Amino acid sequence: MKNGVVIVGAGHAGVQAAASLREEGYDGPVVLVGDENELPYHKPPLSKTFIKDAEAKPQPLRGEAFYSGNAIDYRPGVRIDRIDAGARRLDVAGSGTISFDRLVLATGSRPRLLKLDGTELAGVVSLRSLADARLIRELSAESEDVVILGGGFIGLEIAATLRAAGRKVTVVEAVDRLLGRAVAPVIAAHVRQRLEAMGVRIMTGTTVSRLEGDGGRVSAAITSSGERLRAQMVIIGIGVVPNVELAEAAGVTIGNGIRVDQHMQSSIAEILAVGDAASYRHWFTGGDVRLESVQNATDQARLAARTILGHAEPFSAVPWFWSDIGDMKLQMVGLTQGGDSHVVLGEPAENKFSIYHYAGNRLLGIESVNRPADHMLGRRMLGAGFSPAPQTVAAGPDALKAALAAFQEDEPARAAG
Ligand code: FAD
């Protein structure tokens, strides 16, 4: 391939795609283009540690030498604003073009905007990039009161982090519980209780109707019930939207993201898509999903590299995710939507428990709070296609390990028969 592979987006997925191409033996040109002017970095620490520590440095995904050492032509601060799929050419914003034989779109997602009076005021921010995190860190140094709109993972991580740094934090969530779409109600209630014990104020079933400013800087958020919440910083954390516009304008099929098949191949043969921007039919549920996690981004990128090299394996990685909120390490494995029963192991009162979700007799996934061993075993079980009976789960981790070992020992017999 003369022009080689061009990867647009130098986040978790893009960098992994470049690395995997080389690991898999691809020896053509690899160009990695990213519109941020940074060495590609880990995003998860931004909300967990970076914003509270004035000395914290970004954590690079790979050292600088990785790019030159692997002949990866990394071009920071370069934004692509058009794909000419027919000519296999990208237009660089400003000027210039880049030709490709295969294109990997790893354009990620961006914070969902909120239509609200006052969002243009200084001190109103969202967190997606290192630049956002630096701004939040600066604003936080001069903010006593912080209002966070949205009780999802990122909003709650920020709430715990800024509360630990001594800020007065209020979380305003429109629906009547936290972490609405993501975890079981019992986990959401547990997270709420512990955040409140830290001194975070949580208002569910409440929206903010407008933001007020003073001299161009935000000074308060007015709730739907008319309460005036003092705030020198307002963080909007109401979810993300996938960056699909580039692909859409090029004629690639879009669903809830850039639609790809089980090999990460889009509707246009030369173009693949991975990570937060890609939507696909998940092998585990049969439903269309777009997952926002480091695991999904890196596993899809690995597979995309293999697809480019001519392998034809379908995507079959077990989905998992983690979040650190205050003193809680939350870990999720599998996809638990559609569950109709569950088994609890451990004790919420001790801040250590796991919930095993079932649909009928099929284990869909496990959500753990401070029980990393359950999570790791869960990854092994789901990876092996093993669904333990609920009573085996209830009997505890030793029984589960034994049942998994027996299941794996029987594998040859199952394969034969
Ligand atoms: P991104 O990492 O967003 O990278 C996309 C890149 O493409 C960006 O740099 C973007 O600027 C660039 N780009 C977009 N369009 C263009 C263009 N036209 N030209 C050039 N460049 C372009 N996940 C977890 O599993 N666990 C966690 O604890 C966790 N915590 C998180 C905390 C924060 C604060 C954030 C923001 C995310 C967190 N996530 C976490 C989610 C995880 O970071 C994402 O799922 C992951 O980054 C997705 O990788 P990606 O490469 O698809 O997108």
Side-chain angles (χ1 to χ4, degrees):
M1 291 199 267
K2 183 167 64 72
N3 294 312
V5 181
V6 177
I7 302 162
V8 179
H12 286 268
V15 171
Q16 184 62 52
S20 293
L21 280 165
R22 290 298 182 231
E23 281 157 19
E24 296 286 344
Y26 177 71
D27 60 4
V30 174
V31 180
L32 174 63
V33 184
D35 59 359
E36 297 182 67
N37 231 326
E38 317 277 358
L39 191 61
Y41 56 88
H42 285 273
K43 284 202 155 72
L46 299 182
S47 46
K48 299 168 180 75
T49 50
F50 186 87
I51 52 171
K52 75 169 174 203
D53 178 358
E55 306 298 314
K57 302 257 181 301
Q59 294 175 22
L61 285 168
R62 307 272 175 159
E64 217 159 335
F66 162 80
Y67 301 93
S68 50
N70 286 285
I72 293 165
D73 179 2
Y74 172 46
R75 304 188 192 174
V78 172
R79 183 164 181 80
I80 300 302
D81 61 11
R82 198 175 83 92
I83 303 168
D84 184 335
R88 296 192 195 171
R89 202 175 49 227
L90 304 175
D91 289 354
V92 173
S95 69
T97 59
I98 306 174
S99 294
F100 63 85
D101 295 313
R102 302 297 288 276
L103 175 64
V104 179
L105 293 174
T107 47
S109 55
R110 60 182 183 273
R112 188 183 294 282
L113 296 176
L114 189 60
K115 287 199 182 80
L116 197 66
D117 284 348
T119 49
E120 74 291 348
L121 290 162
V124 181
V125 289
S126 300
L127 175 54
R128 179 72 197 174
S129 65
L130 184 53
D132 297 335
R134 288 194 182 110
L135 177 61
I136 289 176
R137 190 161 72 171
E138 260 170 47
L139 290 166
S140 164
E142 52 197 44
S143 302
E144 196 185 334
D145 309 276
V146 178
V147 170
I148 298 174
L149 308 188
F153 283 115
I154 290 194
L156 299 183
E157 287 182 0
I158 297 172
T161 306
L162 294 184
R163 180 68 200 133
R167 307 295 171 270
K168 290 185 192 144
V169 180
T170 304
V171 175
V172 182
E173 165 57 54
V175 302
D176 61 0
R177 51 162 285 184
L178 298 178
L179 298 169
R181 294 160 303 148
V183 296
V186 50
I187 302 235
H190 180 79
V191 169
R192 175 177 192 148
Q193 181 229 318
R194 290 197 84 85
L195 281 172
E196 287 177 336
M198 286 178 76
V200 175
R201 182 174 179 205
I202 295 179
M203 304 173 77
T204 47
T206 305
T207 55
V208 162
S209 48
R210 68 176 199 282
L211 303 176
E212 284 181 359
D214 185 4
R217 169 91 184 250
V218 70
S219 58
I222 314 300
T223 68
S224 44
S225 56
E227 191 175 344
R228 186 173 187 280
L229 304 169
R230 265 168 56 92
Q232 300 81 48
M233 173 160 67
V234 170
I235 302 177
I236 301 175
I238 55 165
V240 296
V241 290
N243 290 324
V244 300
E245 292 75 8
L246 201 57
E248 192 168 24
V252 175
T253 303
I254 306 295
N256 170 32
I258 304 169
R259 284 220 56 103
V260 292
D261 67 10
Q262 52 187 344
H263 310 291
M264 304 299 121
Q265 182 72 62
S266 80
S267 61
I268 295 185
E270 294 79 19
I271 303 179
L272 297 91
V274 289
D276 276 22
S279 72
Y280 56 105
R281 179 139 305 167
H282 205 283
W283 64 273
F284 190 68
T285 61
D288 287 341
V289 294
R290 192 180 59 73
L291 298 178
E292 297 155 12
S293 72
V294 168
Q295 171 276 322
N296 181 67
T298 48
D299 281 339
Q300 288 193 335
R302 287 189 182 105
L303 190 85
R306 287 184 63 75
T307 299
I308 289 170
L309 282 155
H311 301 282
E313 302 117 16
F315 190 57
S316 63
V318 174
W320 57 266
F321 180 79
W322 84 98
S323 172
D324 298 318
I325 303 177
D327 64 358
M328 292 163 279
K329 175 164 280 298
L330 277 79
Q331 292 169 295
M332 280 63 73
V333 57
L335 296 173
T336 55
Q337 285 77 12
D340 51 26
S341 65
H342 65 257
V343 179
V344 182
L345 272 191
E347 282 300 328
E350 290 169 10
N351 196 23
K352 286 183 186 171
F353 64 108
S354 294
I355 304 198
Y356 292 72
H357 291 270
Y358 280 86
N361 280 329
R362 182 174 179 224
L363 178 66
L364 294 181
I366 304 161
E367 299 168 342
S368 303
V369 178
N370 295 330
R371 296 224 350 162
D374 289 353
H375 174 77
M376 293 311 291
L377 184 58
R379 275 160 62 174
R380 286 175 50 208
M381 292 193 301
L382 292 175
F386 175 53
S387 184
Q391 36 302 13
T392 313
V393 172
D398 289 341
L400 268 179
K401 275 184 219 154
L404 173 61
F407 177 83
Q408 287 176 318
E409 264 168 38
D410 285 350
E411 182 64 48
R414 272 196 309 277

